[in-house]
């Protein structure tokens, strides 16, 4: 299965398309006879991939490359870092395919991998900042070349309590269910609901002065 890695993850055999924050929902490739002519579920694709189907991996990659890039981009200032971590997530998926068991939704499994990679990246960035004086971009979600509104949202998000910020991002941007967020963050569902409400209220309060200011400009 590693033969498909350069084509779909590293882009050495296929043209590379720049990633962006927009969600993408392309139709999956279904040339593999083991896959249904109808749109197969993520879980069926992952099982087919674990049994050696390159087409299944192609479909999963097409479905999740942009959502994953958006996941990292909303948490990191540097777009190149977000793209690198997106590729690293698919590498981990590739290497762990033989051990996959459909005990939960595939996207919960995938975002759990992404969370681990993000935390490792932040630890490395913190180490560099502490010992080499490097700027800790992983903890600075504000991109200086963003439009005013986007920059204001990034700065407001950075002021939220970390767990509440993650819950808000997972719900509003990744569109995960309460149960999926609870599984990822190891929290009760009711806690997810209450902290999401607090995060939304806090974000609204933080953005109110900015909204009024932008409204006057327009």
């Amino acid at each position: 299965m590693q033969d498909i890695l350069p084509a779909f993850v590293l882009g050495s055999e296929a043209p590379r398309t720049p990633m962006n924050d927009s969600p993408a929902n392309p139709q999956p490739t279904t040339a593999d006879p083991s896959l249904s002519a109808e749109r197969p579920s993520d879980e069926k694709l992952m099982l087919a991939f674990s049994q050696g189907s390159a087409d299944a991996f192609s479909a999963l990659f097409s479905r999740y490359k942009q959502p994953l890039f958006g996941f990292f981009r909303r948490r990191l200032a540097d777009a190149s870092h977000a793209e690198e971590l997106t590729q690293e997530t698919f590498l981990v998926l590739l290497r762990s395919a033989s051990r996959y068991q459909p005990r939960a939704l595939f996207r919960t499994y995938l975002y759990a991998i992404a969370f681990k990679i993000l935390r490792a990246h932040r630890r490395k960035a913190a180490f560099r900042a502490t010992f080499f004086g490097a700027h800790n971009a992983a903890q600075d979600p504000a991109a200086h070349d963003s439009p005013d509104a986007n920059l204001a949202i990034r700065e407001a998000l950075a002021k939220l309590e970390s767990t509440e910020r993650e819950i808000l991002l997972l719900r509003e941007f990744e569109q995960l269910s309460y149960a999926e967020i609870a599984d990822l963050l190891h929290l009760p569902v009711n806690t997810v609901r209450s902290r999401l409400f607090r995060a939304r209220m806090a974000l609204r309060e933080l953005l109110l002065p900015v909204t009024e200011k932008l409204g006057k400009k327009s």
Side-chain angles (χ1 to χ4, degrees):
M1 288 189 292
Q2 293 189 11
D3 291 339
I4 64 178
L5 178 60
F8 297 107
V9 179
L10 301 183
S12 61
E13 296 176 15
R16 254 180 111 174
T17 302
M19 293 185 178
N20 54 57
D21 289 348
S22 302
N25 294 296
Q27 292 299 315
T29 303
T30 56
D32 192 310
S34 66
L35 302 178
S36 169
E38 298 180 356
R39 180 181 172 92
S41 69
D42 295 339
E43 293 73 29
K44 286 184 178 179
L45 286 171
M46 188 60 194
L47 284 172
F49 171 46
S50 70
Q51 296 167 7
S53 170
D55 288 328
F57 180 79
S58 174
L60 288 171
F61 183 75
S62 295
R63 288 182 187 181
Y64 283 98
K65 62 179 179 179
Q66 294 296 355
L68 269 181
F69 176 77
F71 169 86
F72 289 116
R73 186 67 184 94
R74 283 184 282 273
R75 291 160 175 82
L76 301 172
D78 192 328
S80 65
H81 288 164
E83 187 161 356
E84 289 171 4
L85 297 190
T86 300
Q87 293 180 353
E88 187 175 344
T89 302
F90 281 107
L91 281 168
V92 172
L93 186 68
L94 181 71
R95 293 166 181 160
S96 62
S98 62
R99 301 189 300 274
Y100 173 74
Q101 295 293 331
R103 298 190 182 95
L105 290 175
F106 169 77
R107 69 175 182 175
T108 305
Y109 175 77
L110 185 65
Y111 281 119
I113 294 173
F115 259 116
K116 289 179 182 178
I117 289 172
L118 179 64
R119 286 166 181 158
H121 174 80
R122 284 173 168 168
R123 284 195 299 269
K124 291 175 184 176
F127 177 87
R128 289 193 296 269
T130 300
F131 292 96
F132 301 107
H135 176 62
N136 188 5
Q139 300 296 336
D140 178 15
H144 299 296
D145 58 351
S146 299
D148 290 346
N150 289 339
L151 179 59
I153 291 172
R154 288 176 180 273
E155 290 177 342
L157 285 169
K159 294 176 183 178
L160 298 179
E161 190 274 331
S162 60
T163 301
E164 291 180 1
R165 179 172 61 248
E166 288 296 348
I167 290 172
L168 183 67
L169 289 172
L170 289 170
R171 180 62 178 169
E172 300 297 339
F173 291 96
E174 277 72 53
Q175 297 290 301
L176 268 63
S177 68
Y178 295 122
E180 289 174 306
I181 297 170
D183 285 343
L184 279 174
L185 301 183
H186 306 291
L187 294 170
V189 172
N190 286 340
T191 299
V192 170
R193 291 178 183 275
S194 61
R195 298 191 74 166
L196 176 62
F197 177 79
R198 288 205 301 267
R200 284 171 171 163
M201 294 300 101
L203 186 64
R204 182 177 299 176
E205 290 295 320
L206 289 167
L207 289 176
L208 185 59
V210 179
T211 303
E212 292 175 350
K213 183 178 178 180
L214 291 175
K216 290 178 181 178
K217 285 184 179 181
S218 62

